[in-house]
Amino acid sequence: MEPRLVGPGPYRATRLWNEIIELFRAGMPLRKHRCRFKSYERCFKASEAVDCLHELLGSNQNFGPEVTRNQTVKLLKKFLKNHVIEDIKGRWGKEDFQDDGHLYRFPPSSPLKPYPKKPSCGKEVIKFPDWNELEAGTSQEHIPVKSVTMNSELWYKRHSIAIGEVPACKLVFRRELTQANIEEIWKSMTLSRLQKVLGLDCLDEVLDTKLVNSKHIVQNAYNVNKQGIVTLEDKSKELPHWILSAMKCLANWPSCSDLKQPAYSGFERDVFKTIVDYFGQMKEPLLTFHFFDVFVSVLGLLQKHSKAVEALQITCLLLPPENRKRLQLLVRMMARVSFNKDLPPLSESVRTRTLMVQAFSRCILCSKDEMDLDELLAAKLVSFLMDNYQEILSVPSALKSSIEEHVVHLQRVQIKYAGADTAATFPAPSFCHQVSTDEFEYQRATGSQEPLAALLEEIAMNKEISVKDKKKKLKQFQKSYPEVYRVRFPTPETEAVLFPEKTKQKSPILMWALKKPFQPFHRTRSFRM
C-alpha cells in the first residue's frame, strides 16, 4: 500500500489515523518468535515496531523526517490503548508500551475510526443595510460624489437622456458604514478567501464560523507596531515582563539588555525551563481549541508552499489578539534560538530545533478532546511556522487591499441609467449638499466648461466616425450645452471647416450635349442660308 497525501477537508486527523494504521499493518514484518521456551507465530518485538513505524512516518509526506523516535513510541502506546496492537497474550487497553523486546501482534482486525456524520453545510449570510433606501429623517447631505472623466462614446451613452432617447437616471444613495458593518465585511471576505484557498465546498466542514469574532480580525489587521506585532488595547493581557525578558535573553544570546546574565554554567537552560513552564501551564493552546480542525486541514497544503502560507496567514488572523501576539513572540524566539550558533546546547541528547518543537508544540496546537495524532500534527505545523514565521504571522496584504477597496466601493454613490448595461460609479469620496435647480444649471454651465470643451474637441477631431455620425453628435451636443458649443464654434464658418465641400462634377449627359449640338437645329439653319 502506497502512502498518499491527505489534503484539506473535514476529519483530516481521523483520515490520517486510519491511513497510518493501514500502512503499519501492511508494512510491519511478522515472523516467528520465542519467549520463555514458547514459540509465537506472526508477531514482532516492540523495538522492531518502533523501527518500522518510525521509518514509515519519516517517509510519509503527511508527517516528514522530523518525527522523532520518542514520538513514534508515544503513537505505539496509543495503538496499544486503542487495540490496534495487542501483546502475545491478547492484552490491550493500557499505554504501557516500551521500546524493548516485548512481543506484540495484530488482532484479527485493527479498528478504524468511523467518520462522524457530515454536518449540514449552511453558509452564513452577512446582513448589510439596504443601500437603496434612506432611513426616515436621513438627509441627502454627505453624499460622496466627484465628476467623472468621460470620452465621447461614454458621454454619448450616458447623456442620451438629455436628448430624450432613454428614461431618466436613478441616484442610488449609500448610508455611511458603521464600524460593525466594516467588521462583518472583514469577517465575510476573510472566511470566503480561506474557503477558496483550502478548496472546500463549505467552510463549516472544518470551522464553526459563528465562533469567529469579527472584531479580532480587524484588530489583528490594523493594531500592529512597526515590527508587525499586534498591540493590545487591554494591557492586562500582555505577557509578564519577566517572561518577555527571558524570551529576549535566549533570542538575543549572548547580548541581553533586559536581563543581567549570571556567571554560572547552565544559566541559559534555567531560562529556557522558565519559559517552557510558563507556556506549559496555559489552559488552552495559542491556536485555541475552536480552530484545531481548520489548522489540521491547512497541514494538507504543505506540499503547496504558497497556498499553505496564505492559508495560515488568514487562519492566524482569526485568533484573539492576545493569542496572536503571544504566538508571534514565541515562534520568533523559537526560530532565533534554533539558528543561534552562539547559544550553548539546551539539551545533551536533542538538537536545539527538535527541542523547540517538542517543548512548545502542545502549547501551540492541541485538541480539547484527546486526539491520537495531536503531537505529530502539532510538530508538523510548528516546524512549518518556525521556517516561515515572518510571512505567516504578517497581515496578508492582498486580502487587506481587496477588503478596503470593497468598503470604499460600498461607500460610493451610484447613478444607474435605465436601459444602460453599466452604472457610472463616482469614485472619490468628496462631499456635497443638495442645491436648487437654478444653482445646478449655473454650476453645470460654469463648473464643467473645461471637461465639456475637451469632450467637444474630441468629437470634432475624431476621424474614425463618419461625417453623418459626427454631425449628429455635434447637433446633440449643441442642444445640450449651447454655451460651450458657441465658444468652440462662434460662427457657421468655423463649423464648416470640419466639413469641407467637395468639388461638384458636371453631369456626363450635360457634357455630351455641349460637345455635340442638336443636329436638326443646325440643318435647319444651314437650309435657310
Side-chain angles (χ1 to χ4, degrees), residues 398-414:
L399 175 66
K400 184 178 179 182
S401 299
S402 64
I403 295 176
E404 290 175 344
E405 290 174 2
H406 183 67
V407 170
V408 171
H409 170 74
L410 293 177
Q411 292 173 329
R412 293 172 180 161
V413 172
Q414 295 184 351

Side-chain angles (χ1 to χ4, degrees), residues 71-287:
Q71 291 173 332
T72 306
V73 172
K74 290 182 179 179
L75 180 56
L76 283 166
K77 287 183 177 182
K78 294 180 179 180
F79 279 3
L80 181 60
K81 181 179 180 180
N82 289 275
H83 203 196
V84 177
I85 59 176
E86 63 185 16
D87 66 12
I88 53 175
K89 295 184 179 181
R91 293 174 297 193
W92 60 278
K94 296 182 179 180
E95 294 190 10
D96 54 359
F97 183 93
Q98 300 294 330
D99 189 359
D100 53 22
H102 281 76
L103 297 179
Y104 293 89
R105 66 189 181 192
F106 290 117
S109 61
S110 294
L112 299 180
K113 290 189 175 182
Y115 297 107
K117 185 179 179 181
K118 187 175 181 180
S120 58
C121 187
K123 294 186 179 180
E124 181 181 3
V125 179
I126 305 300
K127 296 183 179 180
F128 296 101
D130 186 359
W131 306 113
N132 295 323
E133 297 180 2
L134 288 175
E135 291 180 346
T138 303
S139 67
Q140 296 182 4
E141 296 183 0
H142 306 296
I143 303 295
V145 64
K146 189 177 181 180
S147 60
V148 182
T149 303
M150 297 181 290
N151 57 27
S152 60
E153 294 297 327
L154 184 58
W155 175 88
Y156 180 69
K157 185 176 183 180
R158 294 287 182 253
H159 289 74
S160 57
I161 61 168
I163 312 165
E165 294 185 1
V166 295
C169 64
K170 177 184 178 183
L171 182 63
V172 181
F173 295 96
R174 296 296 195 197
R175 297 174 182 171
E176 292 186 3
L177 290 176
T178 64
Q179 182 62 25
N181 293 146
I182 295 175
E183 290 171 355
E184 288 303 310
I185 292 171
W186 265 90
K187 176 180 176 179
S188 176
M189 294 188 67
T190 301
L191 295 180
S192 176
R193 181 58 189 170
L194 178 59
Q195 178 180 333
K196 183 177 181 180
V197 174
L198 292 177
L200 300 177
D201 295 331
C202 180
L203 200 59
D204 291 340
E205 296 175 347
V206 296
L207 174 65
D208 186 352
T209 56
K210 295 180 181 178
L211 299 177
V212 177
N213 192 322
S214 58
K215 292 182 181 293
H216 293 168
I217 302 175
V218 176
Q219 291 176 14
N220 291 332
Y222 290 103
N223 296 355
V224 295
N225 59 19
K226 294 181 179 180
Q227 291 75 36
I229 305 297
V230 176
T231 57
L232 303 181
E233 297 176 354
D234 187 356
K235 301 303 179 183
S236 64
K237 296 181 178 180
E238 296 277 4
L239 280 173
H241 178 72
W242 55 275
I243 282 293
L244 285 174
S245 298
M247 295 172 69
K248 290 180 181 179
C249 178
L250 285 187
N252 301 320
W253 188 279
S255 60
C256 184
S257 58
D258 288 357
L259 191 62
K260 187 176 180 181
Q261 301 177 28
Y264 71 87
S265 176
F267 169 69
E268 67 282 349
R269 296 190 181 186
D270 290 342
V271 174
F272 176 68
K273 185 177 184 303
T274 300
I275 300 172
V276 172
D277 291 342
Y278 176 81
F279 283 98
Q281 51 84 33
M282 295 190 308
K283 296 181 179 180
E284 187 174 16
L286 295 177
L287 299 184

Side-chain angles (χ1 to χ4, degrees), residues 55 156 314 321 337 432 488 520:
E55 182 180 354
Y156 180 69
I314 298 173
V337 168
C432 66
R488 176 62 177 83

